[in-house]
Coordinates of all heavy atoms in Angstrom, one line a residue:
V1 N 261.8 -71.7 -75.1 CA 260.4 -71.3 -75.1 C 260.3 -69.9 -74.6 O 261.1 -69.4 -73.8 CB 259.6 -72.3 -74.2 CG1 259.5 -73.7 -74.9 CG2 260.1 -72.4 -72.8
S2 N 259.2 -69.3 -75.0 CA 258.8 -68.0 -74.4 C 258.1 -68.1 -73.1 O 257.2 -69.0 -73.0 CB 258.0 -67.2 -75.4 OG 258.7 -67.0 -76.6
I3 N 258.3 -67.3 -72.2 CA 257.7 -67.4 -70.9 C 257.1 -66.0 -70.5 O 257.5 -65.0 -71.0 CB 258.6 -67.9 -69.8 CG1 259.8 -66.9 -69.6 CG2 259.1 -69.3 -70.0 CD1 260.7 -67.3 -68.5
I4 N 256.2 -66.0 -69.6 CA 255.5 -64.8 -69.2 C 255.5 -64.7 -67.6 O 255.1 -65.7 -67.0 CB 254.0 -64.7 -69.7 CG1 254.0 -64.7 -71.2 CG2 253.3 -63.5 -69.1 CD1 252.6 -64.8 -71.8
F5 N 256.0 -63.6 -67.1 CA 255.8 -63.3 -65.7 C 254.7 -62.3 -65.6 O 254.8 -61.2 -66.2 CB 257.1 -62.7 -65.1 CG 258.3 -63.6 -65.1 CD1 259.1 -63.7 -66.3 CD2 258.6 -64.4 -64.0 CE1 260.2 -64.5 -66.3 CE2 259.8 -65.2 -64.1 CZ 260.5 -65.3 -65.2
S6 N 253.7 -62.5 -64.8 CA 252.6 -61.6 -64.7 C 252.1 -61.5 -63.3 O 252.2 -62.4 -62.5 CB 251.4 -61.9 -65.7 OG 250.9 -63.1 -65.3
G7 N 251.6 -60.3 -63.0 CA 251.1 -60.1 -61.6 C 250.3 -58.8 -61.6 O 250.1 -58.2 -62.6
R8 N 250.0 -58.3 -60.4 CA 249.3 -57.0 -60.3 C 250.3 -55.9 -60.7 O 251.3 -55.6 -60.1 CB 248.9 -56.8 -58.9 CG 248.1 -55.5 -58.7 CD 247.5 -55.4 -57.3 NE 246.6 -56.5 -57.0 CZ 245.9 -56.6 -55.8 NH1 246.2 -55.7 -54.8 NH2 245.1 -57.6 -55.6
G9 N 249.9 -55.3 -61.8 CA 250.6 -54.1 -62.3 C 251.9 -54.4 -63.1 O 252.6 -53.5 -63.5
F10 N 252.1 -55.7 -63.5 CA 253.3 -55.9 -64.3 C 253.1 -57.1 -65.2 O 252.3 -58.0 -64.9 CB 254.6 -56.1 -63.5 CG 254.6 -57.4 -62.7 CD1 255.1 -58.6 -63.3 CD2 254.1 -57.5 -61.4 CE1 255.2 -59.8 -62.6 CE2 254.1 -58.7 -60.7 CZ 254.7 -59.8 -61.3
Y11 N 253.8 -57.1 -66.3 CA 253.7 -58.2 -67.3 C 255.0 -58.2 -68.1 O 255.4 -57.3 -68.8 CB 252.5 -57.9 -68.3 CG 252.3 -58.9 -69.4 CD1 251.4 -59.9 -69.2 CD2 253.1 -58.9 -70.6 CE1 251.2 -60.9 -70.2 CE2 252.9 -59.8 -71.6 CZ 251.9 -60.8 -71.4 OH 251.7 -61.7 -72.4
I12 N 255.8 -59.3 -67.8 CA 257.2 -59.4 -68.4 C 257.3 -60.7 -69.2 O 256.9 -61.7 -68.7 CB 258.2 -59.3 -67.2 CG1 258.1 -58.1 -66.4 CG2 259.6 -59.4 -67.8 CD1 258.9 -58.1 -65.2
T13 N 257.9 -60.6 -70.3 CA 258.2 -61.8 -71.1 C 259.7 -62.1 -71.1 O 260.5 -61.2 -70.8 CB 257.7 -61.6 -72.6 OG1 258.5 -60.5 -73.2 CG2 256.2 -61.3 -72.7
G14 N 260.0 -63.3 -71.4 CA 261.4 -63.8 -71.4 C 261.5 -65.1 -72.1 O 260.6 -65.6 -72.8
R15 N 262.7 -65.7 -72.0 CA 263.0 -66.9 -72.7 C 263.6 -67.9 -71.7 O 264.2 -67.5 -70.7 CB 264.0 -66.7 -73.8 CG 263.6 -65.7 -74.8 CD 262.6 -66.2 -75.8 NE 263.2 -67.1 -76.8 CZ 262.5 -67.8 -77.7 NH1 261.1 -67.7 -77.7 NH2 263.1 -68.6 -78.6
A16 N 263.4 -69.2 -71.9 CA 263.9 -70.2 -71.0 C 264.0 -71.5 -71.8 O 263.5 -71.6 -72.9 CB 263.0 -70.3 -69.8
V17 N 264.6 -72.5 -71.1 CA 264.7 -73.8 -71.7 C 263.7 -74.8 -71.0 O 263.7 -74.8 -69.7 CB 266.1 -74.4 -71.6 CG1 266.2 -75.8 -72.1 CG2 267.1 -73.5 -72.4
A18 N 262.9 -75.5 -71.7 CA 262.0 -76.4 -71.1 C 262.7 -77.7 -70.6 O 263.5 -78.3 -71.4 CB 260.9 -76.8 -72.1
L19 N 262.5 -78.1 -69.4 CA 263.2 -79.2 -68.8 C 262.2 -80.5 -68.9 O 262.7 -81.6 -68.5 CB 263.6 -79.0 -67.4 CG 264.6 -77.8 -67.2 CD1 264.9 -77.6 -65.7 CD2 265.8 -78.0 -68.0
D20 N 261.0 -80.3 -69.3 CA 260.0 -81.4 -69.4 C 259.2 -81.3 -70.7 O 259.2 -80.2 -71.3 CB 259.1 -81.4 -68.2 CG 259.8 -81.4 -66.9 OD1 260.5 -82.4 -66.6 OD2 259.7 -80.5 -66.1
N21 N 258.5 -82.3 -71.1 CA 257.5 -82.2 -72.1 C 256.2 -81.7 -71.4 O 256.0 -81.9 -70.2 CB 257.2 -83.6 -72.7 CG 258.4 -84.2 -73.4 OD1 259.2 -83.5 -74.1 ND2 258.6 -85.5 -73.2
A22 N 255.4 -81.1 -72.2 CA 254.1 -80.5 -71.7 C 253.0 -80.4 -72.7 O 253.3 -80.1 -73.8 CB 254.4 -79.1 -71.1
G23 N 251.8 -80.7 -72.2 CA 250.6 -80.5 -73.0 C 249.8 -79.4 -72.3 O 250.2 -78.8 -71.3
I24 N 248.7 -79.1 -72.9 CA 247.8 -78.0 -72.4 C 247.5 -78.2 -70.9 O 247.1 -79.3 -70.5 CB 246.6 -77.8 -73.3 CG1 246.9 -77.6 -74.7 CG2 245.6 -76.7 -72.7 CD1 247.7 -76.3 -74.9
N25 N 247.6 -77.1 -70.2 CA 247.2 -77.1 -68.7 C 248.1 -78.0 -67.9 O 247.7 -78.3 -66.8 CB 245.7 -77.5 -68.5 CG 244.8 -76.5 -69.1 OD1 245.0 -75.3 -69.1 ND2 243.7 -76.9 -69.7
Q26 N 249.3 -78.3 -68.4 CA 250.2 -79.0 -67.6 C 251.3 -78.1 -67.1 O 251.6 -77.1 -67.7 CB 250.8 -80.2 -68.4 CG 249.8 -81.3 -68.7 CD 250.4 -82.4 -69.4 OE1 251.5 -82.3 -70.1 NE2 249.8 -83.6 -69.3
T27 N 252.0 -78.5 -66.0 CA 253.0 -77.7 -65.4 C 254.4 -78.4 -65.7 O 254.5 -79.6 -65.6 CB 252.9 -77.6 -63.8 OG1 251.6 -77.0 -63.5 CG2 254.0 -76.9 -63.2
I28 N 255.4 -77.5 -66.1 CA 256.7 -78.1 -66.4 C 257.8 -77.2 -65.7 O 257.5 -76.1 -65.2 CB 257.0 -78.0 -67.9 CG1 257.0 -76.6 -68.4 CG2 256.0 -78.9 -68.6 CD1 257.6 -76.5 -69.8
R29 N 259.0 -77.8 -65.6 CA 260.1 -77.1 -65.1 C 260.8 -76.3 -66.2 O 260.9 -76.9 -67.3 CB 261.1 -78.0 -64.4 CG 260.5 -78.8 -63.2 CD 261.5 -79.9 -62.7 NE 261.7 -80.8 -63.8 CZ 262.8 -81.5 -64.0 NH1 263.8 -81.4 -63.1 NH2 262.9 -82.4 -65.0
I30 N 261.3 -75.2 -65.9 CA 262.1 -74.4 -66.9 C 263.4 -73.9 -66.3 O 263.5 -73.8 -65.1 CB 261.2 -73.2 -67.5 CG1 260.8 -72.3 -66.3 CG2 260.0 -73.7 -68.3 CD1 260.1 -71.0 -66.8
R31 N 264.3 -73.6 -67.2 CA 265.6 -73.1 -66.7 C 265.9 -71.8 -67.4 O 265.9 -71.7 -68.6 CB 266.8 -74.1 -67.0 CG 268.1 -73.6 -66.3 CD 269.2 -74.6 -66.6 NE 269.5 -74.7 -68.0 CZ 269.4 -75.8 -68.7 NH1 268.9 -76.9 -68.1 NH2 269.7 -75.9 -70.0
L32 N 266.1 -70.7 -66.6 CA 266.4 -69.4 -67.2 C 267.9 -69.4 -67.6 O 268.7 -70.2 -67.3 CB 266.2 -68.3 -66.1 CG 264.8 -68.2 -65.5 CD1 264.7 -67.1 -64.5 CD2 263.7 -68.1 -66.6
A33 N 268.3 -68.3 -68.3 CA 269.7 -68.1 -68.8 C 270.6 -68.0 -67.6 O 271.8 -68.4 -67.7 CB 269.8 -66.9 -69.7
T34 N 270.1 -67.5 -66.5 CA 270.9 -67.4 -65.3 C 271.2 -68.7 -64.6 O 272.0 -68.8 -63.6 CB 270.3 -66.4 -64.3 OG1 269.0 -67.0 -63.9 CG2 270.1 -65.1 -64.9
G35 N 270.5 -69.8 -65.0 CA 270.6 -71.1 -64.4 C 269.5 -71.3 -63.4 O 269.3 -72.5 -62.9
Q36 N 268.7 -70.3 -63.0 CA 267.6 -70.5 -62.1 C 266.5 -71.4 -62.7 O 266.2 -71.3 -63.8 CB 267.1 -69.1 -61.7 CG 266.0 -69.2 -60.6 CD 265.4 -67.8 -60.3 OE1 265.7 -66.8 -60.9 NE2 264.5 -67.8 -59.3
R37 N 266.0 -72.2 -61.8 CA 264.9 -73.1 -62.3 C 263.6 -72.7 -61.6 O 263.5 -72.4 -60.4 CB 265.3 -74.6 -61.9 CG 266.5 -75.1 -62.5 CD 266.7 -76.6 -62.4 NE 267.9 -77.1 -63.1 CZ 268.1 -78.3 -63.4 NH1 267.2 -79.3 -63.1 NH2 269.2 -78.7 -64.0
L38 N 262.6 -72.7 -62.5 CA 261.3 -72.3 -62.1 C 260.2 -73.3 -62.6 O 260.6 -74.2 -63.4 CB 260.9 -70.9 -62.6 CG 261.9 -69.7 -62.1 CD1 261.5 -68.5 -62.9 CD2 261.8 -69.5 -60.6
T39 N 259.0 -73.1 -62.2 CA 257.9 -73.9 -62.8 C 257.0 -73.0 -63.5 O 256.8 -71.8 -63.2 CB 257.1 -74.7 -61.7 OG1 256.6 -73.8 -60.8 CG2 258.0 -75.7 -61.1
A40 N 256.4 -73.5 -64.6 CA 255.4 -72.7 -65.4 C 254.3 -73.6 -65.9 O 254.5 -74.8 -66.1 CB 256.1 -72.0 -66.6
R41 N 253.1 -73.0 -66.1 CA 252.0 -73.8 -66.6 C 251.6 -73.3 -68.0 O 251.6 -72.1 -68.3 CB 250.8 -73.6 -65.7 CG 249.5 -74.3 -66.2 CD 248.4 -74.2 -65.2 NE 248.6 -75.0 -64.0 CZ 248.4 -76.3 -63.9 NH1 247.8 -76.9 -64.9 NH2 248.6 -77.0 -62.8

């Protein structure tokens, strides 16, 4: 999936693997190519 990192003064896109199913406004776990795991909404 495509992911977005955003904050004050920056906006970065990337790719990751979804570790859960997700619907609108739900939070899921994702895994980056580096192996790092994050959460995204």
Side-chain angles (χ1 to χ4, degrees):
V1 294
S2 297
I3 58 174
I4 297 173
F5 298 85
S6 64
R8 181 175 297 179
F10 71 90
Y11 181 95
I12 303 171
T13 61
R15 305 282 285 176
V17 175
L19 301 179
D20 305 296
N21 300 319
I24 300 298
N25 293 323
Q26 292 183 337
T27 298
I28 64 168
R29 298 169 301 150
I30 57 173
R31 186 179 66 242
L32 305 181
T34 61
Q36 183 181 6
R37 298 191 178 198
L38 302 172
T39 59
R41 177 173 290 274

